[in-house]
Structures are given as structure tokens and as C-alpha cells.
Coordinates of all heavy atoms in Angstrom, one line a residue:
M62 N -41.5 -92.0 -10.8 CA -42.7 -91.7 -11.6 C -43.0 -90.2 -11.6 O -43.0 -89.5 -10.6 CB -43.8 -92.5 -11.0 CG -45.0 -92.5 -11.8 SD -46.2 -93.7 -11.2 CE -47.7 -93.2 -12.0
K63 N -43.3 -89.7 -12.8 CA -43.6 -88.3 -12.9 C -45.1 -88.1 -12.5 O -46.0 -88.9 -12.7 CB -43.5 -87.9 -14.3 CG -42.0 -87.9 -14.8 CD -41.9 -87.4 -16.2 CE -40.4 -87.4 -16.7 NZ -40.2 -87.0 -18.0
P64 N -45.4 -86.9 -11.9 CA -46.7 -86.6 -11.6 C -47.6 -86.3 -12.8 O -47.1 -85.9 -13.8 CB -46.6 -85.3 -10.7 CG -45.4 -84.7 -11.2 CD -44.4 -85.8 -11.6
D65 N -48.9 -86.4 -12.6 CA -49.8 -86.0 -13.7 C -49.8 -84.5 -13.8 O -49.3 -83.8 -13.0 CB -51.3 -86.6 -13.4 CG -51.9 -86.1 -12.1 OD1 -52.1 -84.8 -12.0 OD2 -52.1 -86.9 -11.2
T66 N -50.4 -84.0 -14.9 CA -50.3 -82.6 -15.1 C -51.1 -81.7 -14.1 O -50.6 -80.6 -13.8 CB -50.8 -82.2 -16.5 OG1 -52.2 -82.7 -16.7 CG2 -49.8 -82.7 -17.6
Q67 N -52.1 -82.3 -13.5 CA -52.8 -81.5 -12.5 C -51.9 -81.3 -11.2 O -51.8 -80.3 -10.7 CB -54.1 -82.2 -12.1 CG -55.2 -82.0 -13.1 CD -56.5 -82.8 -12.6 OE1 -56.5 -83.9 -12.1 NE2 -57.6 -82.1 -12.8
T68 N -51.3 -82.4 -10.9 CA -50.4 -82.4 -9.7 C -49.2 -81.5 -10.0 O -48.7 -80.7 -9.1 CB -49.9 -83.8 -9.3 OG1 -51.0 -84.6 -9.1 CG2 -49.0 -83.8 -8.2
A69 N -48.6 -81.6 -11.2 CA -47.5 -80.8 -11.6 C -47.9 -79.3 -11.6 O -47.1 -78.4 -11.1 CB -47.0 -81.2 -13.0
M70 N -49.1 -78.9 -12.0 CA -49.5 -77.5 -12.0 C -49.7 -77.1 -10.6 O -49.3 -76.0 -10.3 CB -50.8 -77.4 -12.8 CG -51.3 -76.0 -12.9 SD -50.3 -74.8 -13.8 CE -50.8 -75.1 -15.5
R71 N -50.3 -77.9 -9.7 CA -50.4 -77.5 -8.3 C -49.1 -77.3 -7.6 O -48.9 -76.4 -6.9 CB -51.3 -78.5 -7.5 CG -52.8 -78.5 -7.9 CD -53.6 -79.2 -6.9 NE -55.0 -79.4 -7.4 CZ -56.0 -78.5 -7.3 NH1 -55.7 -77.3 -6.7 NH2 -57.2 -78.7 -7.7
N72 N -48.1 -78.2 -8.0 CA -46.8 -78.1 -7.5 C -46.1 -76.7 -8.0 O -45.4 -76.0 -7.2 CB -45.9 -79.3 -7.8 CG -46.4 -80.5 -7.1 OD1 -47.1 -80.5 -6.1 ND2 -45.9 -81.7 -7.6
L73 N -46.2 -76.5 -9.2 CA -45.7 -75.2 -9.8 C -46.3 -74.0 -9.1 O -45.6 -73.1 -8.7 CB -45.9 -75.2 -11.3 CG -45.5 -73.9 -12.0 CD1 -44.1 -73.7 -11.9 CD2 -45.9 -73.9 -13.4
I74 N -47.6 -74.0 -8.9 CA -48.3 -72.8 -8.3 C -47.8 -72.7 -6.8 O -47.5 -71.6 -6.4 CB -49.8 -73.0 -8.3 CG1 -50.4 -72.9 -9.7 CG2 -50.5 -72.0 -7.4 CD1 -51.8 -73.3 -10.0
A75 N -47.7 -73.8 -6.1 CA -47.2 -73.7 -4.7 C -45.8 -73.2 -4.7 O -45.4 -72.3 -3.9 CB -47.2 -75.1 -4.1
E76 N -44.9 -73.6 -5.6 CA -43.5 -73.1 -5.7 C -43.4 -71.7 -5.9 O -42.7 -71.0 -5.3 CB -42.7 -74.0 -6.7 CG -41.3 -73.5 -6.7 CD -40.4 -74.4 -7.7 OE1 -40.9 -75.4 -8.2 OE2 -39.3 -73.9 -7.9
V77 N -44.2 -71.2 -6.9 CA -44.2 -69.8 -7.3 C -44.7 -69.0 -6.1 O -44.2 -67.9 -5.8 CB -45.1 -69.6 -8.6 CG1 -45.3 -68.1 -8.7 CG2 -44.5 -70.3 -9.7
R78 N -45.8 -69.4 -5.4 CA -46.3 -68.7 -4.2 C -45.2 -68.6 -3.1 O -45.2 -67.6 -2.4 CB -47.6 -69.3 -3.7 CG -48.7 -69.1 -4.7 CD -50.1 -68.9 -4.0 NE -51.2 -68.7 -5.0 CZ -51.5 -67.5 -5.4 NH1 -50.9 -66.5 -5.1 NH2 -52.5 -67.5 -6.3
D79 N -44.4 -69.6 -3.0 CA -43.3 -69.6 -2.0 C -42.2 -68.6 -2.4 O -41.6 -68.0 -1.5 CB -42.8 -71.0 -1.8 CG -43.7 -71.9 -1.0 OD1 -44.6 -71.4 -0.3 OD2 -43.5 -73.1 -1.1
V80 N -41.9 -68.6 -3.6 CA -40.7 -67.8 -4.1 C -41.0 -66.4 -4.4 O -40.1 -65.5 -4.0 CB -40.1 -68.5 -5.3 CG1 -39.0 -67.7 -5.9 CG2 -39.6 -69.9 -5.0
M81 N -42.1 -66.0 -5.0 CA -42.4 -64.7 -5.3 C -42.9 -63.9 -4.1 O -43.5 -64.3 -3.3 CB -43.5 -64.7 -6.4 CG -43.1 -65.3 -7.7 SD -41.8 -64.3 -8.5 CE -42.0 -65.0 -10.1
P82 N -42.5 -62.6 -4.1 CA -42.8 -61.7 -2.9 C -44.2 -61.1 -3.0 O -44.3 -59.8 -3.0 CB -41.6 -60.7 -3.0 CG -41.4 -60.6 -4.4 CD -41.6 -61.9 -5.0
F83 N -45.2 -61.9 -3.1 CA -46.6 -61.3 -3.2 C -47.0 -60.5 -2.0 O -47.8 -59.6 -2.2 CB -47.6 -62.5 -3.3 CG -47.5 -63.2 -4.6 CD1 -47.0 -64.5 -4.7 CD2 -48.0 -62.6 -5.8 CE1 -46.9 -65.2 -5.9 CE2 -47.9 -63.3 -7.1 CZ -47.4 -64.6 -7.1
E84 N -46.4 -60.7 -0.9 CA -46.8 -60.0 0.4 C -46.0 -58.8 0.6 O -46.2 -58.0 1.6 CB -46.8 -60.9 1.6 CG -47.6 -62.1 1.5 CD -49.1 -61.8 1.2 OE1 -49.6 -60.9 1.9 OE2 -49.8 -62.5 0.4
M85 N -45.0 -58.5 -0.2 CA -44.1 -57.3 -0.1 C -44.9 -56.0 -0.2 O -45.7 -55.8 -1.1 CB -43.0 -57.3 -1.2 CG -42.0 -56.2 -1.0 SD -40.7 -56.2 -2.2 CE -39.7 -57.6 -1.6
P86 N -44.7 -55.2 0.8 CA -45.4 -53.8 0.8 C -45.0 -53.1 -0.5 O -43.8 -53.1 -0.9 CB -44.9 -53.1 2.0 CG -44.3 -54.2 2.9 CD -43.9 -55.2 2.0
V87 N -46.0 -52.3 -1.1 CA -45.8 -51.5 -2.3 C -44.6 -50.5 -2.1 O -43.8 -50.4 -3.0 CB -47.0 -50.8 -2.7 CG1 -46.8 -50.0 -3.9 CG2 -48.2 -51.8 -3.0
D88 N -44.6 -49.8 -0.9 CA -43.5 -48.9 -0.8 C -42.1 -49.6 -0.8 O -41.2 -48.9 -1.3 CB -43.7 -48.1 0.6 CG -43.7 -48.9 1.8 OD1 -44.1 -50.1 1.7 OD2 -43.4 -48.4 2.9
Q89 N -42.0 -50.7 -0.4 CA -40.7 -51.5 -0.5 C -40.4 -51.9 -1.9 O -39.3 -51.8 -2.4 CB -40.7 -52.7 0.4 CG -39.4 -53.4 0.6 CD -39.4 -54.5 1.5 OE1 -40.5 -54.8 2.2 NE2 -38.3 -55.3 1.6
M90 N -41.5 -52.3 -2.7 CA -41.3 -52.7 -4.1 C -40.9 -51.6 -4.9 O -40.1 -51.8 -5.9 CB -42.7 -53.2 -4.5 CG -42.8 -54.6 -4.7 SD -44.4 -55.0 -5.5 CE -45.2 -55.8 -4.2
C91 N -41.4 -50.4 -4.6 CA -41.2 -49.3 -5.5 C -40.2 -48.3 -5.0 O -40.3 -47.1 -5.3 CB -42.6 -48.6 -5.8 SG -43.8 -49.6 -6.4
S92 N -39.2 -48.7 -4.2 CA -38.3 -47.7 -3.6 C -37.0 -47.7 -4.3 O -36.1 -46.9 -3.9 CB -38.1 -48.1 -2.1 OG -37.5 -49.4 -2.0
G93 N -36.7 -48.6 -5.2 CA -35.4 -48.6 -5.8 C -35.4 -48.6 -7.3 O -36.2 -48.0 -7.9
I94 N -34.6 -49.5 -7.9 CA -34.5 -49.6 -9.3 C -35.8 -50.1 -9.9 O -36.4 -51.0 -9.2 CB -33.3 -50.6 -9.7 CG1 -32.0 -50.2 -9.1 CG2 -33.2 -51.0 -11.1 CD1 -31.0 -51.3 -9.1
C95 N -36.1 -49.7 -11.1 CA -37.4 -50.1 -11.6 C -37.2 -50.4 -13.1 O -37.1 -49.6 -13.9 CB -38.5 -49.0 -11.5 SG -40.1 -49.7 -11.9
N96 N -37.1 -51.7 -13.4 CA -36.9 -52.2 -14.8 C -38.3 -52.8 -15.3 O -38.3 -53.6 -16.3 CB -35.8 -53.3 -14.9 CG -34.5 -52.6 -14.6 OD1 -34.1 -51.7 -15.2 ND2 -33.7 -53.3 -13.7
G97 N -39.3 -52.5 -14.7 CA -40.6 -53.1 -14.9 C -41.4 -52.9 -13.7 O -40.9 -53.0 -12.6
C98 N -42.7 -52.7 -13.7 CA -43.5 -52.4 -12.6 C -43.7 -53.7 -11.8 O -44.5 -54.5 -12.2 CB -44.8 -51.7 -12.9 SG -45.8 -51.4 -11.5
A99 N -43.0 -53.9 -10.7 CA -43.1 -55.1 -9.9 C -44.6 -55.4 -9.4 O -45.0 -56.5 -9.4 CB -42.1 -55.1 -8.7
K100 N -45.2 -54.3 -9.0 CA -46.6 -54.4 -8.5 C -47.5 -54.9 -9.5 O -48.3 -55.9 -9.3 CB -47.1 -53.0 -7.9 CG -48.5 -52.9 -7.5 CD -48.7 -53.6 -6.2 CE -50.2 -53.3 -5.8 NZ -50.9 -54.6 -5.5
K101 N -47.4 -54.4 -10.7 CA -48.3 -54.8 -11.8 C -48.0 -56.2 -12.2 O -48.9 -57.1 -12.5 CB -48.2 -53.9 -13.0 CG -48.9 -52.5 -12.7 CD -48.8 -51.7 -14.0 CE -49.4 -50.3 -13.7 NZ -49.2 -49.4 -14.8
L102 N -46.7 -56.6 -12.3 CA -46.3 -57.9 -12.7 C -46.8 -59.0 -11.6 O -47.3 -60.0 -12.0 CB -44.8 -58.0 -12.8 CG -44.2 -57.3 -14.1 CD1 -42.7 -57.3 -14.0 CD2 -44.8 -57.9 -15.3
L103 N -46.6 -58.7 -10.4 CA -47.1 -59.6 -9.3 C -48.6 -59.7 -9.3 O -49.1 -60.7 -9.1 CB -46.5 -59.2 -7.9 CG -45.1 -59.4 -7.7 CD1 -44.6 -58.8 -6.4 CD2 -44.8 -60.9 -7.8
D104 N -49.3 -58.6 -9.5 CA -50.7 -58.6 -9.6 C -51.2 -59.5 -10.8 O -52.1 -60.3 -10.6 CB -51.4 -57.3 -9.7 CG -51.3 -56.4 -8.5 OD1 -51.0 -57.0 -7.4 OD2 -51.5 -55.2 -8.6
F105 N -50.5 -59.3 -11.9 CA -50.9 -60.2 -13.1 C -50.7 -61.6 -12.8 O -51.5 -62.5 -13.1 CB -50.0 -59.7 -14.3 CG -50.1 -60.6 -15.5 CD1 -51.1 -60.7 -16.3 CD2 -49.1 -61.5 -15.6 CE1 -51.2 -61.5 -17.4 CE2 -49.1 -62.4 -16.7 CZ -50.2 -62.4 -17.6
L106 N -49.5 -61.9 -12.2 CA -49.1 -63.4 -11.9 C -50.1 -64.0 -10.9 O -50.5 -65.0 -11.0 CB -47.7 -63.4 -11.4 CG -47.2 -64.8 -11.2 CD1 -47.3 -65.7 -12.4 CD2 -45.7 -64.8 -10.7
D107 N -50.5 -63.2 -9.9 CA -51.4 -63.6 -8.9 C -52.7 -64.0 -9.5 O -53.4 -65.1 -9.2 CB -51.6 -62.6 -7.8 CG -52.4 -63.1 -6.6 OD1 -52.1 -64.3 -6.1 OD2 -53.2 -62.4 -6.1
I108 N -53.2 -63.2 -10.4 CA -54.4 -63.5 -11.2 C -54.3 -64.8 -12.0 O -55.2 -65.6 -12.0 CB -54.8 -62.3 -12.1 CG1 -55.2 -61.1 -11.2 CG2 -55.9 -62.7 -13.0 CD1 -55.4 -59.8 -11.9
Q109 N -53.2 -64.9 -12.7 CA -52.9 -66.2 -13.4 C -53.0 -67.4 -12.6 O -53.6 -68.4 -12.9 CB -51.6 -66.1 -14.1 CG -51.5 -65.0 -15.2 CD -52.4 -65.2 -16.3 OE1 -52.5 -66.3 -17.0 NE2 -53.3 -64.3 -16.6
L110 N -52.3 -67.3 -11.4 CA -52.3 -68.5 -10.4 C -53.7 -68.7 -9.9 O -54.1 -69.9 -9.8 CB -51.3 -68.2 -9.3 CG -49.8 -68.0 -9.7 CD1 -49.0 -67.7 -8.4 CD2 -49.3 -69.2 -10.5
E111 N -54.4 -67.7 -9.5 CA -55.8 -67.9 -9.0 C -56.6 -68.5 -10.1 O -57.5 -69.4 -9.7 CB -56.3 -66.5 -8.5 CG -55.8 -66.1 -7.2 CD -56.2 -64.8 -6.8 OE1 -57.2 -64.2 -7.5 OE2 -55.9 -64.2 -5.7
E112 N -56.5 -68.1 -11.3 CA -57.3 -68.7 -12.4 C -57.0 -70.2 -12.5 O -57.9 -71.0 -12.6 CB -57.0 -67.9 -13.7 CG -57.8 -68.5 -14.8 CD -57.5 -67.8 -16.1 OE1 -57.3 -66.6 -16.2 OE2 -57.5 -68.5 -17.2
W113 N -55.7 -70.5 -12.5 CA -55.4 -71.9 -12.6 C -55.8 -72.7 -11.4 O -56.3 -73.9 -11.6 CB -53.9 -72.1 -12.9 CG -53.7 -72.2 -14.3 CD1 -53.0 -71.3 -15.1 CD2 -54.1 -73.3 -15.2 NE1 -53.0 -71.7 -16.4 CE2 -53.7 -72.9 -16.5 CE3 -54.7 -74.4 -15.0 CZ2 -54.0 -73.7 -17.6 CZ3 -55.1 -75.2 -16.1 CH2 -54.7 -74.9 -17.4
E114 N -55.8 -72.2 -10.2 CA -56.2 -72.9 -9.1 C -57.7 -73.1 -9.2 O -58.2 -74.3 -8.9 CB -56.0 -72.0 -7.8 CG -54.5 -72.0 -7.4 CD -54.2 -71.0 -6.3 OE1 -54.9 -70.0 -6.2 OE2 -53.2 -71.3 -5.6
W115 N -58.5 -72.2 -9.6 CA -59.9 -72.3 -9.8 C -60.2 -73.4 -10.9 O -61.0 -74.2 -10.7 CB -60.6 -71.0 -10.3 CG -62.1 -71.1 -10.4 CD1 -63.0 -71.0 -9.5 CD2 -62.8 -71.3 -11.6 NE1 -64.2 -71.2 -10.0 CE2 -64.1 -71.4 -11.3 CE3 -62.4 -71.5 -13.0 CZ2 -65.1 -71.6 -12.3 CZ3 -63.3 -71.7 -13.9 CH2 -64.7 -71.7 -13.6
R116 N -59.4 -73.4 -12.0 CA -59.7 -74.3 -13.1 C -59.3 -75.7 -12.6 O -60.1 -76.7 -13.0 CB -58.8 -73.9 -14.3 CG -59.3 -72.6 -15.0 CD -58.3 -72.0 -15.9 NE -58.2 -72.8 -17.2 CZ -57.4 -72.5 -18.2 NH1 -56.7 -71.4 -18.2 NH2 -57.3 -73.3 -19.2
L117 N -58.3 -75.9 -11.9 CA -58.0 -77.2 -11.3 C -59.0 -77.7 -10.4 O -59.4 -78.8 -10.4 CB -56.6 -77.1 -10.6 CG -55.4 -76.9 -11.5 CD1 -54.1 -76.6 -10.7 CD2 -55.2 -78.1 -12.4
D118 N -59.5 -76.8 -9.5 CA -60.6 -77.1 -8.6 C -61.9 -77.6 -9.4 O -62.7 -78.3 -8.8 CB -61.0 -76.0 -7.7 CG -59.9 -75.8 -6.6 OD1 -58.9 -76.7 -6.5 OD2 -59.9 -74.7 -6.0
Q119 N -62.0 -77.1 -10.6 CA -63.2 -77.5 -11.4 C -63.0 -78.7 -12.2 O -63.9 -79.2 -12.9 CB -63.5 -76.3 -12.4 CG -63.9 -75.0 -11.7 CD -65.0 -75.1 -10.7 OE1 -66.1 -75.7 -11.1 NE2 -64.8 -74.6 -9.5
G120 N -61.8 -79.3 -12.0 CA -61.5 -80.6 -12.7 C -60.8 -80.5 -14.0 O -60.5 -81.5 -14.6
E121 N -60.4 -79.3 -14.3 CA -59.7 -79.1 -15.6 C -58.3 -79.8 -15.5 O -57.6 -79.7 -14.5 CB -59.5 -77.7 -16.0 CG -58.9 -77.5 -17.4 CD -59.0 -76.1 -17.9 OE1 -59.9 -75.3 -17.4 OE2 -58.1 -75.7 -18.7
V122 N -57.9 -80.5 -16.7 CA -56.6 -81.2 -16.7 C -55.7 -80.3 -17.6 O -56.0 -80.2 -18.9 CB -56.7 -82.5 -17.2 CG1 -55.4 -83.2 -17.4 CG2 -57.7 -83.4 -16.3
P123 N -54.7 -79.7 -17.1 CA -53.9 -78.8 -17.9 C -53.0 -79.7 -18.9 O -52.6 -80.8 -18.6 CB -53.0 -78.1 -17.0 CG -53.0 -78.9 -15.7 CD -54.3 -79.6 -15.7
A124 N -52.7 -79.1 -20.0 CA -51.8 -79.8 -21.0 C -50.4 -79.4 -20.6 O -50.2 -78.5 -19.8 CB -52.2 -79.3 -22.4
L125 N -49.4 -80.1 -21.1 CA -48.0 -79.8 -20.9 C -47.7 -78.4 -21.3 O -46.9 -77.7 -20.7 CB -47.1 -80.8 -21.5 CG -47.1 -82.2 -21.0 CD1 -46.3 -83.2 -21.8 CD2 -46.7 -82.2 -19.5
G126 N -48.3 -78.0 -22.5 CA -48.1 -76.6 -22.9 C -48.6 -75.6 -22.0 O -47.9 -74.4 -21.9
D127 N -49.6 -75.9 -21.2 CA -50.1 -74.9 -20.2 C -49.1 -74.8 -19.0 O -48.9 -73.7 -18.6 CB -51.5 -75.4 -19.6 CG -52.6 -75.4 -20.6 OD1 -52.6 -74.5 -21.5 OD2 -53.4 -76.4 -20.5
L128 N -48.5 -75.9 -18.7 CA -47.5 -75.9 -17.6 C -46.3 -75.1 -18.1 O -45.7 -74.2 -17.4 CB -47.0 -77.3 -17.3 CG -47.9 -78.1 -16.3 CD1 -47.7 -79.6 -16.5 CD2 -47.8 -77.7 -15.0
D129 N -45.9 -75.3 -19.3 CA -44.7 -74.6 -19.9 C -44.9 -73.1 -20.0 O -44.1 -72.3 -19.7 CB -44.5 -75.3 -21.3 CG -43.2 -74.6 -21.9 OD1 -42.1 -74.6 -21.3 OD2 -43.3 -74.1 -23.0
K130 N -46.2 -72.7 -20.5 CA -46.5 -71.3 -20.6 C -46.5 -70.7 -19.3 O -45.9 -69.6 -19.1 CB -47.8 -71.2 -21.3 CG -48.3 -69.8 -21.5 CD -49.6 -69.7 -22.2 CE -50.0 -68.2 -22.4 NZ -51.4 -68.1 -23.0
L131 N -47.1 -71.2 -18.3 CA -47.1 -70.6 -16.9 C -45.7 -70.6 -16.3 O -45.3 -69.5 -15.7 CB -48.1 -71.3 -16.0 CG -48.2 -70.7 -14.6 CD1 -48.7 -69.3 -14.7 CD2 -49.1 -71.6 -13.7
G132 N -44.9 -71.6 -16.6 CA -43.5 -71.7 -16.1 C -42.7 -70.6 -16.7 O -42.0 -69.9 -16.0
K133 N -42.8 -70.3 -18.0 CA -42.1 -69.3 -18.7 C -42.5 -67.9 -18.2 O -41.7 -67.0 -18.0 CB -42.3 -69.4 -20.2 CG -41.5 -70.5 -20.8 CD -41.7 -70.6 -22.3 CE -40.9 -71.8 -22.9 NZ -41.1 -71.9 -24.3
T134 N -43.8 -67.7 -18.0 CA -44.3 -66.4 -17.5 C -43.7 -66.2 -16.1 O -43.2 -65.0 -15.9 CB -45.8 -66.4 -17.4 OG1 -46.3 -66.6 -18.7 CG2 -46.3 -65.1 -16.8
C135 N -43.7 -67.1 -15.2 CA -43.2 -67.0 -13.9 C -41.6 -66.7 -14.0 O -41.2 -65.8 -13.2 CB -43.4 -68.3 -13.1 SG -45.2 -68.6 -12.7
H136 N -41.0 -67.4 -14.8 CA -39.5 -67.1 -15.0 C -39.3 -65.7 -15.4 O -38.3 -65.1 -14.9 CB -38.9 -68.2 -15.9 CG -37.4 -68.1 -16.0 ND1 -36.6 -68.4 -15.0 CD2 -36.7 -67.6 -17.0 CE1 -35.3 -68.2 -15.3 NE2 -35.4 -67.7 -16.6
K137 N -40.0 -65.3 -16.4 CA -39.8 -63.9 -16.9 C -40.0 -62.8 -15.8 O -39.3 -61.9 -15.6 CB -40.7 -63.6 -18.1 CG -40.2 -64.3 -19.4 CD -41.2 -64.1 -20.5 CE -40.8 -64.9 -21.7 NZ -41.8 -64.7 -22.8
I138 N -41.1 -63.0 -15.1 CA -41.4 -62.1 -14.0 C -40.4 -62.2 -12.9 O -39.9 -61.1 -12.4 CB -42.9 -62.4 -13.5 CG1 -43.9 -62.0 -14.6 CG2 -43.1 -61.6 -12.2 CD1 -45.3 -62.3 -14.2
Y139 N -39.9 -63.4 -12.6 CA -38.8 -63.5 -11.6 C -37.6 -62.8 -12.0 O -37.0 -62.1 -11.2 CB -38.6 -65.0 -11.3 CG -37.5 -65.2 -10.2 CD1 -37.9 -65.3 -8.9 CD2 -36.2 -65.3 -10.5 CE1 -37.0 -65.5 -7.9 CE2 -35.3 -65.5 -9.5 CZ -35.7 -65.5 -8.2 OH -34.8 -65.7 -7.2
R140 N -37.2 -62.8 -13.3 CA -36.1 -62.1 -13.8 C -36.2 -60.6 -13.7 O -35.2 -59.9 -13.3 CB -35.8 -62.5 -15.3 CG -35.5 -63.9 -15.5 CD -34.0 -64.3 -15.1 NE -33.2 -63.4 -15.7 CZ -32.3 -63.7 -16.7 NH1 -32.2 -64.9 -17.1 NH2 -31.4 -62.8 -17.2
V141 N -37.4 -60.1 -14.0 CA -37.6 -58.6 -13.7 C -37.5 -58.3 -12.3 O -36.8 -57.3 -11.9 CB -39.0 -58.2 -14.3 CG1 -39.3 -56.8 -13.9 CG2 -39.0 -58.4 -15.8
L142 N -38.1 -59.0 -11.4 CA -38.0 -58.8 -10.0 C -36.5 -58.9 -9.5 O -36.1 -58.1 -8.7 CB -38.8 -59.7 -9.2 CG -40.3 -59.6 -9.5 CD1 -41.1 -60.7 -8.6 CD2 -40.9 -58.3 -9.2
E143 N -35.7 -59.8 -10.1 CA -34.3 -60.0 -9.8 C -33.6 -58.7 -10.2 O -32.7 -58.2 -9.4 CB -33.8 -61.2 -10.4 CG -32.5 -61.7 -10.0 CD -32.1 -63.1 -10.7 OE1 -32.4 -63.2 -11.9 OE2 -31.6 -63.9 -9.9
K144 N -33.8 -58.2 -11.4 CA -33.1 -57.0 -11.9 C -33.5 -55.8 -11.0 O -32.7 -54.9 -10.8 CB -33.6 -56.7 -13.3 CG -32.9 -57.7 -14.3 CD -33.3 -57.3 -15.7 CE -32.8 -58.3 -16.7 NZ -33.2 -58.1 -18.1
N145 N -34.7 -55.8 -10.4 CA -35.2 -54.7 -9.5 C -34.6 -54.9 -8.1 O -34.8 -54.1 -7.2 CB -36.7 -54.6 -9.5 CG -37.3 -54.1 -10.8 OD1 -36.6 -53.5 -11.6 ND2 -38.5 -54.2 -10.9
G146 N -34.0 -56.0 -7.9 CA -33.3 -56.3 -6.5 C -34.3 -56.8 -5.5 O -34.0 -56.6 -4.3
L147 N -35.5 -57.3 -6.0 CA -36.5 -57.7 -5.0 C -36.4 -59.2 -4.6 O -36.9 -59.7 -3.7 CB -37.9 -57.4 -5.6 CG -38.1 -55.9 -5.9 CD1 -39.4 -55.7 -6.5 CD2 -38.0 -55.1 -4.6
V148 N -35.7 -60.0 -5.5 CA -35.5 -61.4 -5.3 C -34.1 -61.7 -5.7 O -33.4 -60.9 -6.5 CB -36.6 -62.3 -6.0 CG1 -37.9 -62.1 -5.5 CG2 -36.5 -62.1 -7.5
G149 N -33.6 -62.9 -5.4 CA -32.3 -63.3 -5.9 C -31.4 -63.7 -4.9 O -31.7 -64.5 -4.0
E150 N -30.2 -63.2 -4.9 CA -29.1 -63.6 -4.1 C -29.4 -63.5 -2.6 O -28.9 -64.3 -1.8 CB -27.8 -62.8 -4.4 CG -27.3 -63.1 -5.7 CD -26.0 -62.2 -6.0 OE1 -25.5 -61.6 -5.2 OE2 -25.7 -62.2 -7.2
T151 N -30.2 -62.6 -2.2 CA -30.6 -62.5 -0.8 C -31.6 -63.4 -0.3 O -31.9 -63.6 0.8 CB -31.1 -61.0 -0.5 OG1 -32.2 -60.7 -1.3 CG2 -30.0 -60.0 -0.7
D152 N -32.3 -64.0 -1.3 CA -33.3 -65.1 -1.1 C -32.7 -66.4 -0.6 O -31.6 -66.7 -1.0 CB -34.2 -65.4 -2.2 CG -35.3 -64.4 -2.5 OD1 -35.6 -63.6 -1.7 OD2 -36.0 -64.5 -3.6
T153 N -33.4 -67.1 0.3 CA -32.8 -68.3 0.7 C -33.4 -69.5 -0.2 O -33.1 -70.6 -0.1 CB -33.2 -68.6 2.2 OG1 -34.6 -68.6 2.3 CG2 -32.5 -67.7 3.1
Q154 N -34.4 -69.1 -1.0 CA -35.1 -70.1 -1.9 C -34.7 -69.7 -3.3 O -34.5 -68.6 -3.7 CB -36.6 -69.9 -1.8 CG -37.0 -70.2 -0.4 CD -38.6 -69.9 -0.3 OE1 -39.2 -69.5 -1.2 NE2 -39.1 -70.1 0.9
A155 N -34.6 -70.7 -4.2 CA -34.4 -70.5 -5.6 C -35.6 -70.7 -6.4 O -36.5 -71.3 -6.0 CB -33.3 -71.6 -6.1
A156 N -35.6 -70.0 -7.6 CA -36.7 -70.1 -8.4 C -36.6 -71.2 -9.4 O -35.6 -71.7 -9.7 CB -36.9 -68.8 -9.3

């Protein structure tokens, strides 16, 4: 049985928080290849996740399109971080 969209959104948020290097120090983020500002992208994504967490806590029910949109945003940011060498093959977790 598939989860409802609220549960699916919470699961997506939890997975993203586990995979993305939100706690990485800025000096480590900005020490090598830069194909996009990792700091700004992670800050943007963190704001998006916090907004959805708040909206879910207020009882909002996300549509499938909301899940798709957030998922695509996360995937695009992950790809930039991967190109910058901040996530990927050295990770033990997959996106």
C-alpha cells in the first residue's frame, strides 16, 4: 500500500536531510571545484524543507505535483553537489 502524500512528503524530507551535507563546514564546501554555489543551494533547499515541514505541521496535504517538484529540486541540487565532489561515490548513502 502506498503512503498518503503527507507521509510521502515527510519521508522525502527525511531522506533529503540524511543524504545532503547540510552540516558540512563552508570552508570544506568551498575548497575545490565550483559548478554552482553549494552553500547557497543548500541554504535554499533547507528553507524549502523547513517550509514544507511547517506546512505539514499545519495540516496541509501536499499534491503529487508538490512531491514531484520538491523531488526534482532535490535531485538537481544533488547533481550540482556531485559535480562539485561533495556527495556521490564517497557517500555510503544514495540519493
Side-chain angles (χ1 to χ4, degrees):
M62 186 169 163
K63 294 182 181 182
D65 60 65
T66 57
Q67 284 180 319
T68 302
M70 183 65 86
R71 288 193 189 279
N72 291 344
L73 175 61
I74 291 169
E76 183 179 347
V77 170
R78 290 215 180 272
D79 285 343
V80 172
M81 296 293 196
F83 289 106
E84 302 301 320
M85 184 179 285
V87 175
D88 59 334
Q89 187 178 353
M90 252 186 251
C91 301
S92 65
I94 301 168
C95 188
N96 292 310
C98 183
K100 172 75 172 124
K101 288 180 183 177
L102 289 171
L103 286 171
D104 286 346
F105 169 78
L106 185 55
D107 189 44
I108 290 168
Q109 296 296 305
L110 297 178
E111 286 177 0
E112 179 182 324
W113 266 112
E114 288 169 330
W115 182 84
R116 291 167 71 177
L117 291 169
D118 290 344
Q119 300 305 308
E121 186 169 334
V122 177
L125 290 175
D127 296 324
L128 282 159
D129 186 56
K130 182 178 177 183
L131 182 59
K133 285 180 180 179
T134 298
C135 295
H136 184 70
K137 287 177 184 178
I138 291 173
Y139 184 87
R140 296 285 307 249
V141 171
L142 298 178
E143 194 173 40
K144 286 180 183 178
N145 288 347
L147 301 175
V148 296
E150 294 178 13
T151 57
D152 277 352
T153 57
Q154 302 173 356

